[in-house]
Amino acid sequence: MSIKKVISLAYIFLLWGCSISKHIPEGESLYTGAKIKVYADSSFNKSQTKAIHEQLVTIIRPIPNSTLLGFPYKVWFYYLLGEPKKEKGFRQWFRSKLGEPPVLASKRAVNINTDIISNFLNNEGYFRSTASGDLLINGKKASAIYTATVKPRYSIDSVVFVNKDSSSFGKNLQITKENSLLKTNQPYRFDNIKLERERIDKALKLKGFYFFRPDFLIIKADSNQNKQKVNLYVELKPNILQTSLKQYRIKDILVYVDTQDSTRGSTRTRRGIRVFDPKKTYHERVFNDAIGFSTSRIYNSQTHDASLSRLINLRNFKFVKNRFELVNRSDSAFINVIYDLTSLRNKSFQAELDALTRSNNLAGTTLGGNWSNRNVFRGAEILKIGLNAGFDFQLGGRLNNNVNSYYRIAGDADLTFPRFLLPFYKIRAGRNQALPKTNINIGYERLLQKGVGFRDDSSTYAYTQYTTTSLRSSLNYSWRKNIEVEHSFTPLSINLIKPKNISEEFVEKIFRSNNIQDLLRYDKILQTRLILGGQYNITYIPKQTLNSRNYFYLNTGVDIAGNIAGLLTKKSEDDSKRISNTVFEQYLRFDAEMRYYLNLSPNIRLANRMILGYGVPYGNSKSLPYQVKQYFVGGSNSIRAFRARSIGPGSFNVTADPNAIFINSYGDIKLEMNTELRIKVTQLINLAAFVDAGNIWSAKYNENSFYTADGVFGKDFYKQLAVGGGLGLRLDFTYVKLRLDLATPFCKPWLPEKERWVINQIDPFTKAWRKENLILNIAVDYPF
């Protein structure tokens, strides 16, 4: 950058700075940040001193305004359009989304931060450490400077649980010591003291001490200044009421449904649970399944939480209130459990109009209606019946004149039971956070594909190419044993796909094509496909610890089709197996998706994803079911530098023939990797930089397939990965996020092996390069 440009840029920032200064009130200064000087004891090394400094930086408040090259641009946006005249006008929206009010310097804030630094150091075990602070004012700007003198850190020498009697409480308190968070020779931290009290409280509540509270405990510290050691004593505070130290059992379990009057209507009792339901809206079994408590059993907080969670997850109640009452006896060690439930309206209808984008560069809209009954058989069963119609059109990424649009009409019926429809399954009280579910689904979809035809005068017209109908049904069981793991098992899934109304014009167009792939794919369209199978999926989302910067997600599963049908049927003359003269698909498919998110700062997140898919066709099938179960990559939610379904399989180039009718790639094996750096600039504007890589492959070579042997998965698969990257703009309108991702290829797998990497050919100032390589993805929400 030339000296003139640097001077010009500095002059612009100076003018902008002056325009901000005039808005700062008289006698006030814009706070620009703080500096912290740490003077540590000689026993500390440089890395330890640096770690203390980094910790102190995070606790200083207030946080100064965001800057760009030292310029508080958000404050400039805040004042740019002047004072808003309306609370909901454009000026107010602009100010709240793009700007932020100036953070003013304050001597009071410096004094508070000085105390916070001193307290923080002592709470971290740096006893007798001190801090001081000062405010440095320079015109309309001010900064703070803090000095921290850090003494040696104390560690734990011993932990003693003081037991003054042999009561049941004292014995249970001693048992909790086994899993104590306070370990000898570890640094003293006040946060661990608080966590230890909460841990003991949770452990005691599992043993029936319902009225106990964490603040009933005191942990005394006895320090030795010469050894920098501390002895900890865990004991009860004096004068704690005996009711708080008793181990309680359950006496009565009372459920009030849309009433609090126990005299109205009849009372029904089943397995110790008394239900007051004047309208007899629900079967008693609903509450026996959801509530894990039993009469005369010891209170357990895990059962308490699980029961409440199950009632809420039934999605039948607007309000679920839970309370416990001490049985009115002088020596009582019993409590009553009471649930007050307010029902939602059983029947409802909801109409929806959705605008959407798909991963294959199609955009469209859907109009639908859903009718539901939340309690169809009085057992909290939910019946949903939905009808919808919509159309999709090509948003971008046209490779030739074969531009298609799609019209669909579909209907679905879902019946969900809040239990397993299995005689041998029993809910374990307090273990399952949510009730298991059985879902029965039946659906029908009619998809009409329209193409574009050309008249002699080059004008265009739309015509129907063909129609596909899909009739499907499934039986699914899903359950959770805890909040981290969810299981889904579909023992039966049926999908019958039939082509209809194939137009003569479309057939003529295919047979005029010189591309053999068009004829082979047309043959696939003509086939009626029957998929008889089942699936099992498991989703694992680890519970995030306090202040954790990491988030992990794993979903994996297996899809099996045609194995039982294959055992029960015999081969026909053409060596295939059929049901009602229809060849059924046979395959195994394994899938896994992993996501890992790392928060680098409050406004910066690194997001990563890996997708693995492996299909094994056998018997009747030479490949996975065409389009329905096959994999593809590319598009706005996949490898964004390539158009949807334009990559692979392997090094095969599906776009080589510009006159081909079918230009979509599918495969039996998939590998995809994505990484994305997300930066929050304002409440409205978010930026991203991303890199995507992946491809698809055929599991085995089939001479009747559309692809050559180059598309088969082999030892050189890593050389056939398509790689691309780019920059993204995301506009957060609170209820919807609009995403614009501009990407370009880095590696094109269909080129000769030594010519695949094309990074050195990037030339954004050339129109021809931009037309061939720049892909703009427009979508809603994040890709993952």
PDB file of all heavy atoms in Angstrom, residues 673-698:
ATOM      1  N   MET A 673     -16.591 -33.731   3.564  1.00  0.00           N
ATOM      2  CA  MET A 673     -16.012 -33.018   4.705  1.00  0.00           C
ATOM      3  C   MET A 673     -16.203 -31.519   4.493  1.00  0.00           C
ATOM      4  O   MET A 673     -15.989 -31.016   3.395  1.00  0.00           O
ATOM      5  CB  MET A 673     -14.524 -33.349   4.841  1.00  0.00           C
ATOM      6  CG  MET A 673     -14.243 -34.827   5.112  1.00  0.00           C
ATOM      7  SD  MET A 673     -12.505 -35.256   4.935  1.00  0.00           S
ATOM      8  CE  MET A 673     -12.326 -35.190   3.142  1.00  0.00           C
ATOM      9  N   ASN A 674     -16.595 -30.838   5.564  1.00  0.00           N
ATOM     10  CA  ASN A 674     -16.822 -29.401   5.493  1.00  0.00           C
ATOM     11  C   ASN A 674     -16.240 -28.729   6.730  1.00  0.00           C
ATOM     12  O   ASN A 674     -16.338 -29.266   7.832  1.00  0.00           O
ATOM     13  CB  ASN A 674     -18.321 -29.070   5.428  1.00  0.00           C
ATOM     14  CG  ASN A 674     -19.093 -29.978   4.503  1.00  0.00           C
ATOM     15  OD1 ASN A 674     -19.550 -31.025   4.921  1.00  0.00           O
ATOM     16  ND2 ASN A 674     -19.251 -29.581   3.262  1.00  0.00           N
ATOM     17  N   THR A 675     -15.650 -27.577   6.535  1.00  0.00           N
ATOM     18  CA  THR A 675     -15.214 -26.759   7.662  1.00  0.00           C
ATOM     19  C   THR A 675     -15.545 -25.309   7.344  1.00  0.00           C
ATOM     20  O   THR A 675     -15.418 -24.877   6.191  1.00  0.00           O
ATOM     21  CB  THR A 675     -13.716 -26.945   7.963  1.00  0.00           C
ATOM     22  OG1 THR A 675     -13.382 -26.235   9.166  1.00  0.00           O
ATOM     23  CG2 THR A 675     -12.848 -26.438   6.830  1.00  0.00           C
ATOM     24  N   GLU A 676     -15.980 -24.585   8.374  1.00  0.00           N
ATOM     25  CA  GLU A 676     -16.499 -23.243   8.152  1.00  0.00           C
ATOM     26  C   GLU A 676     -16.179 -22.366   9.357  1.00  0.00           C
ATOM     27  O   GLU A 676     -16.462 -22.738  10.502  1.00  0.00           O
ATOM     28  CB  GLU A 676     -18.007 -23.312   7.925  1.00  0.00           C
ATOM     29  CG  GLU A 676     -18.666 -22.000   7.566  1.00  0.00           C
ATOM     30  CD  GLU A 676     -20.113 -22.193   7.146  1.00  0.00           C
ATOM     31  OE1 GLU A 676     -20.360 -22.494   5.965  1.00  0.00           O
ATOM     32  OE2 GLU A 676     -20.993 -22.061   8.021  1.00  0.00           O
ATOM     33  N   LEU A 677     -15.598 -21.216   9.113  1.00  0.00           N
ATOM     34  CA  LEU A 677     -15.321 -20.229  10.156  1.00  0.00           C
ATOM     35  C   LEU A 677     -16.433 -19.183  10.116  1.00  0.00           C
ATOM     36  O   LEU A 677     -16.592 -18.479   9.116  1.00  0.00           O
ATOM     37  CB  LEU A 677     -13.959 -19.572   9.935  1.00  0.00           C
ATOM     38  CG  LEU A 677     -13.482 -18.632  11.049  1.00  0.00           C
ATOM     39  CD1 LEU A 677     -13.215 -19.412  12.332  1.00  0.00           C
ATOM     40  CD2 LEU A 677     -12.237 -17.867  10.612  1.00  0.00           C
ATOM     41  N   ARG A 678     -17.216 -19.098  11.191  1.00  0.00           N
ATOM     42  CA  ARG A 678     -18.359 -18.196  11.244  1.00  0.00           C
ATOM     43  C   ARG A 678     -18.057 -17.016  12.166  1.00  0.00           C
ATOM     44  O   ARG A 678     -17.664 -17.207  13.317  1.00  0.00           O
ATOM     45  CB  ARG A 678     -19.599 -18.943  11.738  1.00  0.00           C
ATOM     46  CG  ARG A 678     -19.998 -20.079  10.810  1.00  0.00           C
ATOM     47  CD  ARG A 678     -21.065 -20.970  11.418  1.00  0.00           C
ATOM     48  NE  ARG A 678     -21.411 -22.063  10.501  1.00  0.00           N
ATOM     49  CZ  ARG A 678     -22.185 -23.090  10.821  1.00  0.00           C
ATOM     50  NH1 ARG A 678     -22.696 -23.173  12.048  1.00  0.00           N
ATOM     51  NH2 ARG A 678     -22.452 -24.045   9.942  1.00  0.00           N
ATOM     52  N   ILE A 679     -18.274 -15.817  11.653  1.00  0.00           N
ATOM     53  CA  ILE A 679     -17.949 -14.596  12.384  1.00  0.00           C
ATOM     54  C   ILE A 679     -19.203 -13.739  12.513  1.00  0.00           C
ATOM     55  O   ILE A 679     -19.810 -13.367  11.505  1.00  0.00           O
ATOM     56  CB  ILE A 679     -16.839 -13.796  11.668  1.00  0.00           C
ATOM     57  CG1 ILE A 679     -15.603 -14.679  11.458  1.00  0.00           C
ATOM     58  CG2 ILE A 679     -16.476 -12.544  12.458  1.00  0.00           C
ATOM     59  CD1 ILE A 679     -14.556 -14.061  10.564  1.00  0.00           C
ATOM     60  N   LYS A 680     -19.579 -13.445  13.735  1.00  0.00           N
ATOM     61  CA  LYS A 680     -20.731 -12.580  13.983  1.00  0.00           C
ATOM     62  C   LYS A 680     -20.253 -11.141  14.030  1.00  0.00           C
ATOM     63  O   LYS A 680     -19.514 -10.740  14.931  1.00  0.00           O
ATOM     64  CB  LYS A 680     -21.409 -12.973  15.297  1.00  0.00           C
ATOM     65  CG  LYS A 680     -22.647 -12.152  15.596  1.00  0.00           C
ATOM     66  CD  LYS A 680     -23.307 -12.607  16.887  1.00  0.00           C
ATOM     67  CE  LYS A 680     -24.554 -11.789  17.187  1.00  0.00           C
ATOM     68  NZ  LYS A 680     -25.209 -12.232  18.450  1.00  0.00           N
ATOM     69  N   VAL A 681     -20.669 -10.346  13.059  1.00  0.00           N
ATOM     70  CA  VAL A 681     -20.251  -8.942  12.977  1.00  0.00           C
ATOM     71  C   VAL A 681     -21.230  -8.055  13.735  1.00  0.00           C
ATOM     72  O   VAL A 681     -20.842  -7.236  14.568  1.00  0.00           O
ATOM     73  CB  VAL A 681     -20.141  -8.497  11.501  1.00  0.00           C
ATOM     74  CG1 VAL A 681     -19.699  -7.041  11.413  1.00  0.00           C
ATOM     75  CG2 VAL A 681     -19.165  -9.394  10.747  1.00  0.00           C
ATOM     76  N   THR A 682     -22.519  -8.207  13.433  1.00  0.00           N
ATOM     77  CA  THR A 682     -23.575  -7.495  14.144  1.00  0.00           C
ATOM     78  C   THR A 682     -24.726  -8.461  14.383  1.00  0.00           C
ATOM     79  O   THR A 682     -24.656  -9.638  14.004  1.00  0.00           O
ATOM     80  CB  THR A 682     -24.079  -6.279  13.336  1.00  0.00           C
ATOM     81  OG1 THR A 682     -24.791  -6.755  12.167  1.00  0.00           O
ATOM     82  CG2 THR A 682     -22.930  -5.396  12.896  1.00  0.00           C
ATOM     83  N   GLN A 683     -25.792  -7.970  14.995  1.00  0.00           N
ATOM     84  CA  GLN A 683     -26.974  -8.804  15.185  1.00  0.00           C
ATOM     85  C   GLN A 683     -27.568  -9.244  13.857  1.00  0.00           C
ATOM     86  O   GLN A 683     -28.206 -10.295  13.766  1.00  0.00           O
ATOM     87  CB  GLN A 683     -28.031  -8.024  15.984  1.00  0.00           C
ATOM     88  CG  GLN A 683     -27.643  -7.743  17.423  1.00  0.00           C
ATOM     89  CD  GLN A 683     -27.544  -9.007  18.258  1.00  0.00           C
ATOM     90  OE1 GLN A 683     -28.241  -9.990  18.007  1.00  0.00           O
ATOM     91  NE2 GLN A 683     -26.670  -8.995  19.247  1.00  0.00           N
ATOM     92  N   LEU A 684     -27.357  -8.446  12.821  1.00  0.00           N
ATOM     93  CA  LEU A 684     -27.912  -8.745  11.501  1.00  0.00           C
ATOM     94  C   LEU A 684     -26.931  -9.468  10.593  1.00  0.00           C
ATOM     95  O   LEU A 684     -27.287 -10.400   9.883  1.00  0.00           O
ATOM     96  CB  LEU A 684     -28.374  -7.447  10.830  1.00  0.00           C
ATOM     97  CG  LEU A 684     -28.852  -7.552   9.373  1.00  0.00           C
ATOM     98  CD1 LEU A 684     -30.134  -8.374   9.284  1.00  0.00           C
ATOM     99  CD2 LEU A 684     -29.061  -6.168   8.778  1.00  0.00           C
ATOM    100  N   ILE A 685     -25.678  -9.030  10.600  1.00  0.00           N
ATOM    101  CA  ILE A 685     -24.692  -9.483   9.614  1.00  0.00           C
ATOM    102  C   ILE A 685     -23.735 -10.509  10.224  1.00  0.00           C
ATOM    103  O   ILE A 685     -23.143 -10.287  11.281  1.00  0.00           O
ATOM    104  CB  ILE A 685     -23.899  -8.286   9.063  1.00  0.00           C
ATOM    105  CG1 ILE A 685     -24.849  -7.308   8.361  1.00  0.00           C
ATOM    106  CG2 ILE A 685     -22.813  -8.751   8.104  1.00  0.00           C
ATOM    107  CD1 ILE A 685     -24.176  -6.037   7.896  1.00  0.00           C
ATOM    108  N   ASN A 686     -23.596 -11.637   9.535  1.00  0.00           N
ATOM    109  CA  ASN A 686     -22.622 -12.661   9.886  1.00  0.00           C
ATOM    110  C   ASN A 686     -21.826 -13.020   8.636  1.00  0.00           C
ATOM    111  O   ASN A 686     -22.374 -13.084   7.537  1.00  0.00           O
ATOM    112  CB  ASN A 686     -23.312 -13.917  10.421  1.00  0.00           C
ATOM    113  CG  ASN A 686     -24.039 -13.678  11.734  1.00  0.00           C
ATOM    114  OD1 ASN A 686     -23.487 -13.884  12.798  1.00  0.00           O
ATOM    115  ND2 ASN A 686     -25.288 -13.235  11.639  1.00  0.00           N
ATOM    116  N   LEU A 687     -20.536 -13.242   8.809  1.00  0.00           N
ATOM    117  CA  LEU A 687     -19.655 -13.607   7.705  1.00  0.00           C
ATOM    118  C   LEU A 687     -19.130 -15.023   7.903  1.00  0.00           C
ATOM    119  O   LEU A 687     -19.160 -15.569   9.012  1.00  0.00           O
ATOM    120  CB  LEU A 687     -18.485 -12.621   7.609  1.00  0.00           C
ATOM    121  CG  LEU A 687     -18.840 -11.145   7.418  1.00  0.00           C
ATOM    122  CD1 LEU A 687     -17.575 -10.292   7.406  1.00  0.00           C
ATOM    123  CD2 LEU A 687     -19.634 -10.934   6.141  1.00  0.00           C
ATOM    124  N   ALA A 688     -18.645 -15.617   6.823  1.00  0.00           N
ATOM    125  CA  ALA A 688     -18.104 -16.980   6.908  1.00  0.00           C
ATOM    126  C   ALA A 688     -17.054 -17.192   5.828  1.00  0.00           C
ATOM    127  O   ALA A 688     -17.109 -16.584   4.757  1.00  0.00           O
ATOM    128  CB  ALA A 688     -19.215 -18.012   6.762  1.00  0.00           C
ATOM    129  N   ALA A 689     -16.087 -18.036   6.141  1.00  0.00           N
ATOM    130  CA  ALA A 689     -15.122 -18.547   5.163  1.00  0.00           C
ATOM    131  C   ALA A 689     -15.158 -20.068   5.284  1.00  0.00           C
ATOM    132  O   ALA A 689     -15.148 -20.600   6.396  1.00  0.00           O
ATOM    133  CB  ALA A 689     -13.722 -18.012   5.446  1.00  0.00           C
ATOM    134  N   PHE A 690     -15.224 -20.767   4.153  1.00  0.00           N
ATOM    135  CA  PHE A 690     -15.451 -22.212   4.223  1.00  0.00           C
ATOM    136  C   PHE A 690     -14.629 -22.954   3.178  1.00  0.00           C
ATOM    137  O   PHE A 690     -14.216 -22.404   2.146  1.00  0.00           O
ATOM    138  CB  PHE A 690     -16.935 -22.528   4.032  1.00  0.00           C
ATOM    139  CG  PHE A 690     -17.532 -21.989   2.757  1.00  0.00           C
ATOM    140  CD1 PHE A 690     -17.454 -22.710   1.570  1.00  0.00           C
ATOM    141  CD2 PHE A 690     -18.155 -20.752   2.741  1.00  0.00           C
ATOM    142  CE1 PHE A 690     -17.998 -22.212   0.401  1.00  0.00           C
ATOM    143  CE2 PHE A 690     -18.705 -20.241   1.569  1.00  0.00           C
ATOM    144  CZ  PHE A 690     -18.626 -20.980   0.400  1.00  0.00           C
ATOM    145  N   VAL A 691     -14.401 -24.251   3.479  1.00  0.00           N
ATOM    146  CA  VAL A 691     -13.767 -25.189   2.556  1.00  0.00           C
ATOM    147  C   VAL A 691     -14.571 -26.488   2.604  1.00  0.00           C
ATOM    148  O   VAL A 691     -14.894 -26.977   3.700  1.00  0.00           O
ATOM    149  CB  VAL A 691     -12.301 -25.465   2.920  1.00  0.00           C
ATOM    150  CG1 VAL A 691     -11.711 -26.510   1.991  1.00  0.00           C
ATOM    151  CG2 VAL A 691     -11.473 -24.188   2.853  1.00  0.00           C
ATOM    152  N   ASP A 692     -14.929 -27.025   1.447  1.00  0.00           N
ATOM    153  CA  ASP A 692     -15.680 -28.277   1.344  1.00  0.00           C
ATOM    154  C   ASP A 692     -14.902 -29.262   0.475  1.00  0.00           C
ATOM    155  O   ASP A 692     -14.209 -28.863  -0.476  1.00  0.00           O
ATOM    156  CB  ASP A 692     -17.054 -28.050   0.702  1.00  0.00           C
ATOM    157  CG  ASP A 692     -17.862 -26.976   1.402  1.00  0.00           C
ATOM    158  OD1 ASP A 692     -17.924 -26.997   2.644  1.00  0.00           O
ATOM    159  OD2 ASP A 692     -18.431 -26.105   0.704  1.00  0.00           O
ATOM    160  N   ALA A 693     -15.034 -30.545   0.785  1.00  0.00           N
ATOM    161  CA  ALA A 693     -14.383 -31.583  -0.019  1.00  0.00           C
ATOM    162  C   ALA A 693     -15.214 -32.854   0.021  1.00  0.00           C
ATOM    163  O   ALA A 693     -15.920 -33.124   1.000  1.00  0.00           O
ATOM    164  CB  ALA A 693     -12.969 -31.859   0.496  1.00  0.00           C
ATOM    165  N   GLY A 694     -15.144 -33.662  -1.060  1.00  0.00           N
ATOM    166  CA  GLY A 694     -15.867 -34.925  -1.058  1.00  0.00           C
ATOM    167  C   GLY A 694     -16.113 -35.454  -2.453  1.00  0.00           C
ATOM    168  O   GLY A 694     -15.741 -34.845  -3.458  1.00  0.00           O
ATOM    169  N   ASN A 695     -16.789 -36.605  -2.500  1.00  0.00           N
ATOM    170  CA  ASN A 695     -17.155 -37.211  -3.773  1.00  0.00           C
ATOM    171  C   ASN A 695     -18.080 -38.396  -3.490  1.00  0.00           C
ATOM    172  O   ASN A 695     -18.327 -38.741  -2.339  1.00  0.00           O
ATOM    173  CB  ASN A 695     -15.919 -37.674  -4.555  1.00  0.00           C
ATOM    174  CG  ASN A 695     -16.170 -37.713  -6.062  1.00  0.00           C
ATOM    175  OD1 ASN A 695     -17.290 -37.911  -6.519  1.00  0.00           O
ATOM    176  ND2 ASN A 695     -15.111 -37.538  -6.840  1.00  0.00           N
ATOM    177  N   ILE A 696     -18.571 -39.001  -4.550  1.00  0.00           N
ATOM    178  CA  ILE A 696     -19.342 -40.238  -4.475  1.00  0.00           C
ATOM    179  C   ILE A 696     -18.690 -41.265  -5.385  1.00  0.00           C
ATOM    180  O   ILE A 696     -17.930 -40.905  -6.304  1.00  0.00           O
ATOM    181  CB  ILE A 696     -20.814 -40.025  -4.898  1.00  0.00           C
ATOM    182  CG1 ILE A 696     -20.880 -39.410  -6.304  1.00  0.00           C
ATOM    183  CG2 ILE A 696     -21.555 -39.186  -3.868  1.00  0.00           C
ATOM    184  CD1 ILE A 696     -22.265 -39.334  -6.890  1.00  0.00           C
ATOM    185  N   TRP A 697     -18.989 -42.533  -5.137  1.00  0.00           N
ATOM    186  CA  TRP A 697     -18.431 -43.612  -5.953  1.00  0.00           C
ATOM    187  C   TRP A 697     -19.468 -44.723  -6.100  1.00  0.00           C
ATOM    188  O   TRP A 697     -20.386 -44.854  -5.278  1.00  0.00           O
ATOM    189  CB  TRP A 697     -17.180 -44.207  -5.282  1.00  0.00           C
ATOM    190  CG  TRP A 697     -16.010 -43.284  -5.195  1.00  0.00           C
ATOM    191  CD1 TRP A 697     -14.978 -43.143  -6.100  1.00  0.00           C
ATOM    192  CD2 TRP A 697     -15.724 -42.373  -4.126  1.00  0.00           C
ATOM    193  NE1 TRP A 697     -14.088 -42.208  -5.665  1.00  0.00           N
ATOM    194  CE2 TRP A 697     -14.510 -41.708  -4.461  1.00  0.00           C
ATOM    195  CE3 TRP A 697     -16.368 -42.027  -2.944  1.00  0.00           C
ATOM    196  CZ2 TRP A 697     -13.937 -40.754  -3.653  1.00  0.00           C
ATOM    197  CZ3 TRP A 697     -15.802 -41.061  -2.128  1.00  0.00           C
ATOM    198  CH2 TRP A 697     -14.605 -40.442  -2.476  1.00  0.00           C
ATOM    199  N   SER A 698     -19.296 -45.542  -7.115  1.00  0.00           N
ATOM    200  CA  SER A 698     -20.078 -46.776  -7.259  1.00  0.00           C
ATOM    201  C   SER A 698     -19.422 -47.866  -6.422  1.00  0.00           C
ATOM    202  O   SER A 698     -18.190 -47.901  -6.291  1.00  0.00           O
ATOM    203  CB  SER A 698     -20.134 -47.210  -8.718  1.00  0.00           C
ATOM    204  OG  SER A 698     -20.745 -46.220  -9.528  1.00  0.00           O
TER     205      SER A 698
END
